[in-house]
Amino acid sequence: DDAMATAREMGATVVRSQTMGDSVGCAACIEPELGQFNEEAFAHIDYALASARAHGIKIIPTIVGDDAVEGGTGCVYLRWRGISQPNCSLINMAPFWTDQTVIGDVEAHIAAVLNHVNVYTHVAYKDDPTILGWDLLNGGGSPVPWTREIVSTIRAIDARHLILSGYAN
């Protein structure tokens, strides 16, 4: 609450938040293990969204992010599927973009996040006006075929929010 109040006092109207949508592979994450979702982790995000709403701030959650321990969300998905990627990182995870099983895992995660109903506001994330849009990838662009597929997945669930994607090569 204090962070939202301070942001608002400083004139912020939108906050981009990594880990509100891309939290995977740790005990405290939204998806600690493949296909298992953590309601306690969602509750913390739910509270942050409710607080943002109360303070008149819009949020942009990230779908695929990076973390210092595992190399990034994509690397966690690759590890879960037993796919080796030496020096895996957000910028070095080539199989993540093309492996259809991994893409399906990401799409299942997206569905769980977008369909989650906030325990404080009783509004599904896909319908939450506090969310301005979904950022596909923290810190960069994604390949066009992957971007199109993931956008299509999001649009099938959520036609309301913006989808942000950085420059792709």
PDB file of all heavy atoms in Angstrom, residues 16 90-91 97 135-142 164-168:
ATOM      1  N   ARG A  16       4.742  -0.907 -14.440  1.00  0.00           N
ATOM      2  CA  ARG A  16       5.037  -2.183 -15.085  1.00  0.00           C
ATOM      3  C   ARG A  16       5.631  -3.098 -14.024  1.00  0.00           C
ATOM      4  O   ARG A  16       6.562  -2.730 -13.337  1.00  0.00           O
ATOM      5  CB  ARG A  16       6.039  -1.985 -16.218  1.00  0.00           C
ATOM      6  CG  ARG A  16       6.362  -3.257 -16.951  1.00  0.00           C
ATOM      7  CD  ARG A  16       7.361  -2.936 -18.064  1.00  0.00           C
ATOM      8  NE  ARG A  16       7.889  -4.144 -18.636  1.00  0.00           N
ATOM      9  CZ  ARG A  16       8.912  -4.825 -18.137  1.00  0.00           C
ATOM     10  NH1 ARG A  16       9.519  -4.425 -17.044  1.00  0.00           N
ATOM     11  NH2 ARG A  16       9.336  -5.916 -18.734  1.00  0.00           N
ATOM     12  N   LEU A  90      17.533 -15.268 -20.683  1.00  0.00           N
ATOM     13  CA  LEU A  90      16.456 -14.648 -21.447  1.00  0.00           C
ATOM     14  C   LEU A  90      16.859 -14.416 -22.903  1.00  0.00           C
ATOM     15  O   LEU A  90      16.024 -14.475 -23.795  1.00  0.00           O
ATOM     16  CB  LEU A  90      16.043 -13.329 -20.784  1.00  0.00           C
ATOM     17  CG  LEU A  90      14.787 -12.665 -21.304  1.00  0.00           C
ATOM     18  CD1 LEU A  90      13.566 -13.555 -21.072  1.00  0.00           C
ATOM     19  CD2 LEU A  90      14.583 -11.317 -20.641  1.00  0.00           C
ATOM     20  N   ILE A  91      18.144 -14.204 -23.152  1.00  0.00           N
ATOM     21  CA  ILE A  91      18.601 -13.974 -24.527  1.00  0.00           C
ATOM     22  C   ILE A  91      19.232 -15.216 -25.144  1.00  0.00           C
ATOM     23  O   ILE A  91      19.677 -15.182 -26.288  1.00  0.00           O
ATOM     24  CB  ILE A  91      19.578 -12.775 -24.612  1.00  0.00           C
ATOM     25  CG1 ILE A  91      20.800 -13.007 -23.738  1.00  0.00           C
ATOM     26  CG2 ILE A  91      18.868 -11.487 -24.242  1.00  0.00           C
ATOM     27  CD1 ILE A  91      21.899 -11.976 -23.918  1.00  0.00           C
ATOM     28  N   TRP A  97      11.385 -20.905 -27.861  1.00  0.00           N
ATOM     29  CA  TRP A  97      10.567 -20.227 -28.863  1.00  0.00           C
ATOM     30  C   TRP A  97       9.911 -21.188 -29.847  1.00  0.00           C
ATOM     31  O   TRP A  97       8.947 -20.805 -30.507  1.00  0.00           O
ATOM     32  CB  TRP A  97      11.406 -19.224 -29.653  1.00  0.00           C
ATOM     33  CG  TRP A  97      12.186 -18.271 -28.816  1.00  0.00           C
ATOM     34  CD1 TRP A  97      13.548 -18.174 -28.747  1.00  0.00           C
ATOM     35  CD2 TRP A  97      11.679 -17.275 -27.930  1.00  0.00           C
ATOM     36  NE1 TRP A  97      13.895 -17.188 -27.870  1.00  0.00           N
ATOM     37  CE2 TRP A  97      12.774 -16.619 -27.346  1.00  0.00           C
ATOM     38  CE3 TRP A  97      10.391 -16.873 -27.557  1.00  0.00           C
ATOM     39  CZ2 TRP A  97      12.642 -15.591 -26.435  1.00  0.00           C
ATOM     40  CZ3 TRP A  97      10.253 -15.836 -26.644  1.00  0.00           C
ATOM     41  CH2 TRP A  97      11.359 -15.213 -26.096  1.00  0.00           C
ATOM     42  N   ASP A 135       2.649  -7.500 -20.879  1.00  0.00           N
ATOM     43  CA  ASP A 135       3.953  -7.393 -21.529  1.00  0.00           C
ATOM     44  C   ASP A 135       4.437  -8.819 -21.789  1.00  0.00           C
ATOM     45  O   ASP A 135       4.586  -9.602 -20.858  1.00  0.00           O
ATOM     46  CB  ASP A 135       4.924  -6.652 -20.620  1.00  0.00           C
ATOM     47  CG  ASP A 135       6.238  -6.325 -21.294  1.00  0.00           C
ATOM     48  OD1 ASP A 135       6.397  -6.615 -22.494  1.00  0.00           O
ATOM     49  OD2 ASP A 135       7.119  -5.772 -20.610  1.00  0.00           O
ATOM     50  N   LEU A 136       4.653  -9.173 -23.046  1.00  0.00           N
ATOM     51  CA  LEU A 136       5.007 -10.550 -23.376  1.00  0.00           C
ATOM     52  C   LEU A 136       6.363 -10.974 -22.850  1.00  0.00           C
ATOM     53  O   LEU A 136       6.548 -12.115 -22.461  1.00  0.00           O
ATOM     54  CB  LEU A 136       4.975 -10.762 -24.891  1.00  0.00           C
ATOM     55  CG  LEU A 136       3.625 -10.649 -25.565  1.00  0.00           C
ATOM     56  CD1 LEU A 136       3.757 -11.012 -27.038  1.00  0.00           C
ATOM     57  CD2 LEU A 136       2.590 -11.519 -24.886  1.00  0.00           C
ATOM     58  N   LEU A 137       7.335 -10.077 -22.852  1.00  0.00           N
ATOM     59  CA  LEU A 137       8.707 -10.483 -22.540  1.00  0.00           C
ATOM     60  C   LEU A 137       9.448  -9.353 -21.847  1.00  0.00           C
ATOM     61  O   LEU A 137       9.549  -8.258 -22.387  1.00  0.00           O
ATOM     62  CB  LEU A 137       9.430 -10.870 -23.835  1.00  0.00           C
ATOM     63  CG  LEU A 137      10.859 -11.339 -23.722  1.00  0.00           C
ATOM     64  CD1 LEU A 137      10.918 -12.696 -23.017  1.00  0.00           C
ATOM     65  CD2 LEU A 137      11.488 -11.450 -25.102  1.00  0.00           C
ATOM     66  N   ASN A 138       9.999  -9.640 -20.677  1.00  0.00           N
ATOM     67  CA  ASN A 138      10.792  -8.649 -19.975  1.00  0.00           C
ATOM     68  C   ASN A 138      12.105  -8.416 -20.708  1.00  0.00           C
ATOM     69  O   ASN A 138      12.852  -9.339 -20.965  1.00  0.00           O
ATOM     70  CB  ASN A 138      11.091  -9.119 -18.547  1.00  0.00           C
ATOM     71  CG  ASN A 138      11.876  -8.091 -17.776  1.00  0.00           C
ATOM     72  OD1 ASN A 138      11.480  -6.936 -17.713  1.00  0.00           O
ATOM     73  ND2 ASN A 138      12.999  -8.486 -17.214  1.00  0.00           N
ATOM     74  N   GLY A 139      12.349  -7.188 -21.061  1.00  0.00           N
ATOM     75  CA  GLY A 139      13.651  -6.798 -21.556  1.00  0.00           C
ATOM     76  C   GLY A 139      13.960  -7.095 -23.010  1.00  0.00           C
ATOM     77  O   GLY A 139      15.121  -7.135 -23.376  1.00  0.00           O
ATOM     78  N   GLY A 140      12.978  -7.295 -23.836  1.00  0.00           N
ATOM     79  CA  GLY A 140      13.334  -7.496 -25.231  1.00  0.00           C
ATOM     80  C   GLY A 140      12.212  -8.047 -26.062  1.00  0.00           C
ATOM     81  O   GLY A 140      11.102  -8.239 -25.592  1.00  0.00           O
ATOM     82  N   GLY A 141      12.542  -8.312 -27.295  1.00  0.00           N
ATOM     83  CA  GLY A 141      11.565  -8.817 -28.238  1.00  0.00           C
ATOM     84  C   GLY A 141      11.596 -10.328 -28.328  1.00  0.00           C
ATOM     85  O   GLY A 141      12.548 -10.983 -27.935  1.00  0.00           O
ATOM     86  N   SER A 142      10.535 -10.862 -28.850  1.00  0.00           N
ATOM     87  CA  SER A 142      10.424 -12.298 -29.052  1.00  0.00           C
ATOM     88  C   SER A 142      10.289 -12.565 -30.548  1.00  0.00           C
ATOM     89  O   SER A 142       9.839 -11.705 -31.296  1.00  0.00           O
ATOM     90  CB  SER A 142       9.210 -12.836 -28.291  1.00  0.00           C
ATOM     91  OG  SER A 142       8.053 -12.073 -28.576  1.00  0.00           O
ATOM     92  N   LEU A 164       1.732  -5.905 -25.109  1.00  0.00           N
ATOM     93  CA  LEU A 164       2.953  -5.201 -25.449  1.00  0.00           C
ATOM     94  C   LEU A 164       4.028  -6.207 -25.815  1.00  0.00           C
ATOM     95  O   LEU A 164       4.178  -7.234 -25.156  1.00  0.00           O
ATOM     96  CB  LEU A 164       3.427  -4.357 -24.270  1.00  0.00           C
ATOM     97  CG  LEU A 164       2.511  -3.198 -23.871  1.00  0.00           C
ATOM     98  CD1 LEU A 164       1.419  -3.698 -22.929  1.00  0.00           C
ATOM     99  CD2 LEU A 164       3.292  -2.118 -23.229  1.00  0.00           C
ATOM    100  N   SER A 165       4.778  -5.895 -26.862  1.00  0.00           N
ATOM    101  CA  SER A 165       5.865  -6.745 -27.294  1.00  0.00           C
ATOM    102  C   SER A 165       6.972  -5.851 -27.794  1.00  0.00           C
ATOM    103  O   SER A 165       6.734  -4.961 -28.614  1.00  0.00           O
ATOM    104  CB  SER A 165       5.401  -7.682 -28.414  1.00  0.00           C
ATOM    105  OG  SER A 165       6.471  -8.441 -28.895  1.00  0.00           O
ATOM    106  N   GLY A 166       8.176  -6.101 -27.306  1.00  0.00           N
ATOM    107  CA  GLY A 166       9.317  -5.315 -27.745  1.00  0.00           C
ATOM    108  C   GLY A 166       9.745  -5.695 -29.143  1.00  0.00           C
ATOM    109  O   GLY A 166       9.195  -6.596 -29.776  1.00  0.00           O
ATOM    110  N   TYR A 167      10.715  -5.027 -29.649  1.00  0.00           N
ATOM    111  CA  TYR A 167      11.252  -5.254 -30.975  1.00  0.00           C
ATOM    112  C   TYR A 167      11.763  -6.696 -31.103  1.00  0.00           C
ATOM    113  O   TYR A 167      12.404  -7.222 -30.215  1.00  0.00           O
ATOM    114  CB  TYR A 167      12.424  -4.290 -31.213  1.00  0.00           C
ATOM    115  CG  TYR A 167      13.159  -4.576 -32.497  1.00  0.00           C
ATOM    116  CD1 TYR A 167      12.626  -4.198 -33.716  1.00  0.00           C
ATOM    117  CD2 TYR A 167      14.360  -5.252 -32.470  1.00  0.00           C
ATOM    118  CE1 TYR A 167      13.291  -4.470 -34.884  1.00  0.00           C
ATOM    119  CE2 TYR A 167      15.033  -5.522 -33.642  1.00  0.00           C
ATOM    120  CZ  TYR A 167      14.493  -5.135 -34.847  1.00  0.00           C
ATOM    121  OH  TYR A 167      15.156  -5.412 -35.999  1.00  0.00           O
ATOM    122  N   ALA A 168      11.444  -7.340 -32.186  1.00  0.00           N
ATOM    123  CA  ALA A 168      11.909  -8.697 -32.455  1.00  0.00           C
ATOM    124  C   ALA A 168      12.780  -8.710 -33.701  1.00  0.00           C
ATOM    125  O   ALA A 168      12.502  -8.008 -34.662  1.00  0.00           O
ATOM    126  CB  ALA A 168      10.721  -9.643 -32.648  1.00  0.00           C
TER     127      ALA A 168
END
